[in-house]
């Protein structure tokens, strides 16, 4: 026993504790001693990471709980609003006498209102077929007017290239010193040459040339048709309004005569209200305006239709007239080299290559381009036969 006690004391003196007491050789040395400073730091870092992970998980769980609570509250609020709205609707519309007939009458109430306040302006003699015709034709005409007017304004009429090497065998414009192909003229307002120039239109604020000539003519045509349609359709309204205005004048004169023979403490009220006067005068004004525009614009449309039939523009008409007179004095006959015959001229102008184009390109809005580039005038594919060589302008 003494020997065992001595061995234990000697072991304690040598620093050989089983739980790792440090020996005199330095920290962390000795196989069975306590962990050194590096071990303590690693254990502390591991504990801090565990605490951080636990905090993040707690925060995530709290967010999930809050999200569930908020979603649950939103669902509850939506359900409450739905039930409240349903209750209000039923409280406002509930009727113990309600049945299927009452519901149908309520659904057809907008139709009855239209009949009472809108369709009466069409006249009491109009049949449903006649009203459908008004709606269909009126909207089609309006769409065609707006489309062609917009395209005539926004479409460039076309201009020749400024480089002299791009074109050969053409004259030079004396104002802009640039190539001037056939049928090209200089616009003093735009201050540049325009391909196949017809005129400068102030209502479009644009030149009418090769690429927008069809849009300009179509706008004039459909605008004239629309004005004629409004004048014919509104003739009965115009007559009634004009008769009402004459009746107003007569009653006003009689009222003034009666007022002159009697004494009033105040001026008597007018026989017709201001709204009635304004309505009748507006009808008369609109009818006169539509009829005047139909006459003026119709004359312009017929003029351009005659030019298209002859295959010439407004400027070429004056040039061809002088050239015709000059050749007539020499005993020669002048023929327009750009005319292919009346029918073919219209087909070239409107871009009609096949019969279905009369529907898709003439009766419906179509942004198709005209034949050719405006720089050269080759025979269009829609022309049936080529004419004999003619004198140039």
């Amino acid at each position: 026993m003494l020997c065992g006690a001595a061995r234990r004391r000697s072991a304690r003196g040598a620093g050989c504790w089983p739980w790792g007491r440090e020996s005199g050789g330095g920290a962390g040395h000795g196989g069975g001693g306590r962990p050194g400073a590096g071990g303590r730091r690693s254990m502390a870092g591991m504990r801090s990471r565990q605490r951080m992970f636990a905090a993040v998980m707690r925060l995530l769980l709290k967010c999930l709980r809050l999200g569930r609570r908020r979603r649950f509250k939103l669902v509850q609020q939506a359900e409450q609003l739905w039930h409240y709205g349903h209750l209000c609707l039923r409280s406002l519309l509930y009727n113990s006498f309600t049945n299927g007939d009452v519901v149908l009458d309520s659904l057809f109430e907008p139709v009855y209102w239209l009949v009472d306040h809108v369709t009466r302006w069409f006249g009491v003699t109009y049949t449903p077929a006649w009203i459908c015709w008004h709606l269909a034709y009126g909207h089609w005409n309006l769409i065609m007017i707006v489309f062609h007017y917009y395209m005539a304004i926004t479409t460039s009429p076309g201009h020749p290239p400024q480089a002299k090497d791009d074109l050969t065998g053409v004259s030079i414009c004396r104002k802009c010193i640039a190539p001037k192909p056939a049928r090209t003229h200089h616009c003093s307002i735009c201050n540049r040459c325009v391909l196949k120039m017809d005129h400068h239109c102030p209502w479009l604020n644009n030149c009418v040339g090769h690429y927008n000539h069809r849009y300009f003519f179509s706008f004039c045509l459909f605008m004239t048709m629309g004005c004629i349609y409004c004048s014919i359709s509104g003739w009965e309204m115009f007559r009634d309004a004009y008769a009402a205005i004459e009746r107003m004048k007569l009653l006003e004169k009689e009222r003034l005569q009666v007022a002159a023979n009697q004494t009033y403490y105040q001026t008597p009220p007018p026989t017709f209200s201001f709204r009635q006067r304004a309505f009748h005068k507006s009808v008369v004004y609109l009818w006169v305006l539509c009829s005047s525009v139909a006459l003026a614009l119709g004359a312009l449309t017929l003029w351009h239709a005659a030019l298209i039939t002859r295959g010439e523009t407004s400027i070429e008409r004056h040039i061809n007239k002088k050239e015709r007179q000059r050749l007539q004095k020499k005993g020669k006959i002048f023929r327009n080299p750009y005319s292919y015959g009346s029918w073919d001229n219209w087909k070239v102008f409107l871009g009609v290559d096949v019969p279905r184009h009369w529907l898709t390109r003439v009766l419906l809005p179509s942004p198709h381009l005209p034949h050719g580039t405006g720089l050269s005038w080759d025979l269009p594919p829609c022309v049936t036969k080529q004419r004999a060589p003619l004198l140039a302008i």
Side-chain angles (χ1 to χ4, degrees), residues 323-334:
E323 188 68 15
R324 188 177 295 106
Q325 293 175 355
R326 185 183 68 85
L327 293 176
Q328 188 176 4
K329 293 179 181 179
K330 296 181 179 181
K332 298 180 181 180
I333 299 176
F334 171 79

Side-chain angles (χ1 to χ4, degrees), residues 366-383:
S366 175
H368 67 277
L369 296 177
H371 289 293
T373 60
L375 302 176
S376 60
W377 299 96
D378 300 328
L379 187 68
C382 59
V383 176

Side-chain angles (χ1 to χ4, degrees), residues 252-280:
E252 185 69 19
K253 186 183 296 185
E254 293 178 355
R255 189 179 66 86
L256 291 177
Q257 290 177 356
V258 172
N261 299 328
Q262 298 178 2
T263 303
Y264 289 93
Y265 292 103
Q266 60 182 3
T267 304
T271 309
F272 290 88
S273 64
F274 174 78
R275 183 176 181 181
Q276 291 174 333
R277 294 170 181 268
F279 173 76
H280 294 306

Side-chain angles (χ1 to χ4, degrees), residues 23-288:
S23 60
H29 299 284
R34 292 182 177 179
R40 287 195 298 271
R41 283 196 296 269
S42 62
M43 293 176 66
M46 186 180 297
R47 293 193 190 95
S48 64
R49 284 193 295 271
Q50 290 176 353
R51 285 194 298 269
M52 186 181 299
F53 180 74
V56 170
M57 293 301 295
R58 285 195 298 271
L59 181 62
L60 181 60
L61 291 175
K62 187 181 294 185
C63 292
L64 290 175
R65 293 194 191 98
L66 289 176
R68 290 177 182 175
R69 291 175 183 174
R70 289 179 181 175
R71 284 196 298 271
F72 184 70
K73 289 182 179 178
L74 289 176
V75 172
Q76 280 186 338
Q77 291 177 358
E79 290 180 354
Q80 290 177 359
L81 289 175
W82 168 258
H83 291 304
Y84 178 74
H86 186 65
L87 180 62
C88 290
L89 186 64
R90 294 196 62 180
S91 63
L92 292 174
L93 302 179
Y94 177 75
N95 189 350
S96 59
F97 298 101
T98 301
N99 53 21
D101 296 335
V102 176
V103 173
L104 288 177
D105 289 340
S106 301
L107 292 177
F108 278 94
E109 187 64 28
V111 180
Y112 301 149
W113 184 91
L114 288 175
V115 171
D116 293 338
H117 295 82
V118 178
T119 56
R120 66 188 180 94
W121 297 115
F122 291 105
V124 294
T125 60
Y126 286 178
T127 61
W130 190 243
I131 294 175
C132 293
W133 155 254
H134 276 294
L135 292 175
Y137 177 81
H139 285 84
W140 170 78
N141 202 344
L142 178 62
I143 291 173
M144 297 298 286
I145 291 172
V146 173
F147 171 79
H148 287 101
Y149 184 68
Y150 174 78
M151 295 299 293
I153 291 176
T154 57
T155 303
S156 174
H159 306 283
Q162 298 298 319
K164 298 181 180 180
D165 297 335
D166 294 343
L167 297 174
T168 59
V170 297
S171 60
I172 300 298
C173 180
R174 292 178 295 177
K175 296 182 179 180
C176 57
I177 316 299
K180 186 179 179 182
R183 311 186 79 177
T184 300
H185 302 280
H186 187 87
C187 177
S188 58
I189 300 176
C190 298
N191 197 24
R192 62 186 307 183
C193 287
V194 177
L195 299 175
K196 191 192 169 186
M197 180 180 175
D198 187 90
H199 68 285
H200 184 93
C201 182
W203 305 105
L204 301 179
N205 192 26
N206 194 8
C207 270
V208 177
H210 178 61
Y211 288 102
N212 63 348
H213 193 184
R214 179 179 65 88
Y215 297 132
F216 166 77
F217 176 79
S218 298
F219 164 70
C220 293
L221 175 62
F222 289 112
M223 189 67 183
T224 303
M225 293 170 58
C227 292
I228 294 174
Y229 161 75
C230 292
S231 298
I232 295 175
S233 301
W235 170 247
E236 295 295 334
M237 293 181 64
F238 167 75
R239 289 180 56 186
D240 296 341
Y242 188 80
I245 292 176
E246 293 297 324
R247 197 181 312 114
M248 279 189 250
K249 292 180 180 179
L250 182 61
L251 293 176
E252 185 69 19
K253 186 183 296 185
E254 293 178 355
R255 189 179 66 86
L256 291 177
Q257 290 177 356
V258 172
N261 299 328
Q262 298 178 2
T263 303
Y264 289 93
Y265 292 103
Q266 60 182 3
T267 304
T271 309
F272 290 88
S273 64
F274 174 78
R275 183 176 181 181
Q276 291 174 333
R277 294 170 181 268
F279 173 76
H280 294 306
K281 291 181 180 180
S282 299
V283 171
V284 173
Y285 171 75
L286 289 176
W287 189 89
V288 173

